[in-house]
């Protein structure tokens, strides 16, 4: 009897193939990551754990299978980890700068000589530099001031919205909802927004490593997760009413603030055609910040792997 039981216990995993288990590292306070949470809760057949982190976590914790971040962090890490792969674009976000009219800002050129709140070395730092150059203001003609993001009012001292209100900065260029909250802090009548998606949009991606993809079992789990994520992305795009509250709760934001910044976000769910050329252009900025030489296009080409998305789409077709 005892032997029979132990035989049964031994066979059980064979009868019920172990459920897929995926571990993801994402910044748990950014709106862009929230489709992952909906995919985990509604669409993935298996267990998903999402821990706070980003692309660097893939290399500091090898139990992490997928990591999400903006393109800036991909470039920073690819320089030293050539096994990094971008496999999916979750969101594209046209960042904004909000200026305070009381600082004499009404047009983009008025940002000349002003203090702009931004975290340099991030996607926002790159955005501010590119945007200013696009309106003819040189790096040396404005000052950047560091501070913290704010997700919900009240925004405490040291956060960009509080700094805009107190006059420590004249403008703020960050990801959302910090810009929206900064505008509300000074009153929307005093706020002027600057934005140009053609000059810069954040491309927020899912990443893995070529080592993870070389393991057939793990690769299938990753493909399955992308398939689940595609279903979540469809909700974000087509039925946002179904996810506003859950997405807002996930990042401890108020639902009305999330709705206000929703139009700034495009829930792409693809790999954009121009991703490689964006990476090539942006790497000259990241290389400068990191004091290394820029990577060539032929080197950056391998950072993008579209085969996972192709497999996910092919399987989705077969099963529908
Ligand atoms: C391949 O991935 C599976 C599923 O995550 C894991 O159980 C297995 O240990 C991996 N194999 C190797 C050689 O890493
Ligand atoms: C999860 O399993 C169900 C039932 O087997 C299936 O209909 C569904 O397509 C699966 N979902 C994904 C994302 O694979």
């Amino acid at each position: 009897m005892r032997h029979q039981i132990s035989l049964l216990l031994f066979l059980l995993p064979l009868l019920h193939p172990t459920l897929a288990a995926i571990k993801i590292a994402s910044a748990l306070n950014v709106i862009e990551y929230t489709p992952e949470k909906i995919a985990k809760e509604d669409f993935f057949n298996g267990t998903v754990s999402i821990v706070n982190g980003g692309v660097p976590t893939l290399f500091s914790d090898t139990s992490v299978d997928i990591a999400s971040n903006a393109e800036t962090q991909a470039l920073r890490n690819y320089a030293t980890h050539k096994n990094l792969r971008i496999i999916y674009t979750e969101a594209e976000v046209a960042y904004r700068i909000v200026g305070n009219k009381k600082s004499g800002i009404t047009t983009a050129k008025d940002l000349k000589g002003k203090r702009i709140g931004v975290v340099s070395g991030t996607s926002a730092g790159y955005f501010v530099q590119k945007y200013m150059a696009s309106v003819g203001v040189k790096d040396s003609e404005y000052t950047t001031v560091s501070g913290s993001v704010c997700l919900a009012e009240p925004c405490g001292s040291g956060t960009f919205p509080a700094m805009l209100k107190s006059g420590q900065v004249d403008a703020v260029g960050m990801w959302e909802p910090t810009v929206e909250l900064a505008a509300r802090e000074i009153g929307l009548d005093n706020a002027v927004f600057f934005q140009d998606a053609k000059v810069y949009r954040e491309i927020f991606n899912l990443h893995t490593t070529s080592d993870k993809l070389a393991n057939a079992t793990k690769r299938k789990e990753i493909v399955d997760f992308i398939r689940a994520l595609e279903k979540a992305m469809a909700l974000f795009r087509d039925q946002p009413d179904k996810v506003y509250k859950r997405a807002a709760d996930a990042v401890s934001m108020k639902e009305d603030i999330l709705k206000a910044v929703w139009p700034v976000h495009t829930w792409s769910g693809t790999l954009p055609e121009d991703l490689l050329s964006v990476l090539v252009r942006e790497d000259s900025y990241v290389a400068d910040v990191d004091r290394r030489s820029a990577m060539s296009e032929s080197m950056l080409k391998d950072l993008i792997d579209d085969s996972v998305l192709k497999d996910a789409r092919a399987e989705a077709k077969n099963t529908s």
Side-chain angles (χ1 to χ4, degrees), residues 24 33-46 48 50 90 206 224-233 235-236 243 246:
I24 303 177
Y33 111 90
T34 54
E36 299 159 33
K37 189 158 192 283
I38 303 294
K40 163 194 157 107
E41 290 171 0
D42 293 9
F43 301 115
F44 187 67
N45 292 325
V48 179
I50 308 182
E90 210 167 349
L206 253 53
D224 286 348
F225 181 75
I226 296 296
R227 245 176 44 235
L229 185 59
E230 291 250 276
K231 293 182 182 172
M233 299 301 304
L235 287 182
F236 275 66
V243 292
R246 292 169 67 195

Side-chain angles (χ1 to χ4, degrees), residues 11-290:
L11 285 174
L12 219 48
L14 302 178
L15 300 173
H16 294 270
T18 41
L19 275 180
I22 285 279
K23 188 167 173 184
I24 303 177
S26 293
L28 301 181
N29 66 355
V30 304
I31 298 163
E32 291 90 321
Y33 111 90
T34 54
E36 299 159 33
K37 189 158 192 283
I38 303 294
K40 163 194 157 107
E41 290 171 0
D42 293 9
F43 301 115
F44 187 67
N45 292 325
T47 51
V48 179
S49 56
I50 308 182
V51 298
N52 197 35
V55 168
T57 324
L58 277 174
F59 306 108
S60 59
D61 176 358
T62 53
S63 72
V64 169
D65 305 306
I66 294 175
S68 66
N69 247 150
E71 75 292 337
T72 319
Q73 300 310 315
L75 290 167
R76 171 155 296 142
N77 286 274
Y78 187 63
T80 45
H81 298 279
K82 290 297 184 303
N83 57 345
L84 182 65
R85 297 291 178 267
I86 293 172
I87 55 171
Y88 193 77
T89 297
E90 210 167 349
E92 290 168 74
V93 190
Y95 283 0
R96 304 185 294 172
I97 294 174
V98 58
N100 191 345
K101 288 181 188 164
K102 287 184 173 161
S103 294
I105 301 169
T106 48
T107 71
K109 281 206 185 302
D110 298 330
L111 291 167
K112 191 169 171 175
K114 297 294 194 291
R115 295 157 301 167
I116 304 178
V118 62
V119 179
S120 56
T122 65
S123 52
Y126 178 62
F127 155 65
V128 167
Q129 193 188 60
K130 277 212 81 174
Y131 184 81
M132 296 300 273
S134 79
V135 298
V137 181
K138 294 196 210 79
D139 290 354
S140 57
E141 293 176 325
Y142 63 95
T143 317
T144 60
V145 181
S146 197
S148 311
V149 302
C150 178
L151 292 167
E153 288 150 328
C155 297
S157 69
T159 68
F160 290 120
M163 290 164 73
L164 188 65
K165 187 173 189 186
S166 70
Q168 286 167 272
V169 294
D170 307 298
V172 173
M174 279 299 292
W175 48 87
E176 304 293 345
T178 295
V179 170
E180 180 70 24
L181 291 172
R184 288 172 189 230
E185 202 67 50
I186 55 171
L188 290 174
D189 285 348
N190 294 318
V192 52
F193 292 98
F194 306 104
Q195 177 188 41
D196 189 344
K198 286 193 295 303
V199 170
Y200 179 79
R201 71 200 197 273
E202 177 201 35
I203 306 180
F204 188 88
N205 301 308
L206 253 53
H207 311 72
T208 187
T209 65
S210 53
D211 307 80
K212 294 275 175 185
L213 295 174
N215 174 339
T217 312
K218 183 50 73 186
R219 181 190 168 90
K220 183 173 182 316
E221 291 175 353
I222 293 171
V223 168
D224 286 348
F225 181 75
I226 296 296
R227 245 176 44 235
L229 185 59
E230 291 250 276
K231 293 182 182 172
M233 299 301 304
L235 287 182
F236 275 66
R237 265 194 310 267
D238 307 329
Q239 296 174 282
D241 279 332
K242 292 197 169 158
V243 292
Y244 285 140
K245 170 128 184 36
R246 292 169 67 195
D249 286 349
V251 290
S252 307
M253 271 175 65
K254 297 218 174 71
E255 195 177 345
D256 68 311
I257 300 289
L258 180 65
K259 282 184 182 167
V261 300
W262 197 260
V264 180
H265 298 73
T266 301
W267 302 102
S268 326
T270 187
L271 283 166
E273 300 259 325
D274 63 344
L275 181 55
L276 180 59
S277 60
V278 167
L279 292 176
V280 171
R281 265 180 281 132
E282 185 164 342
D283 196 51
S284 60
Y285 167 81
V286 178
D288 233 32
V289 173
D290 290 351

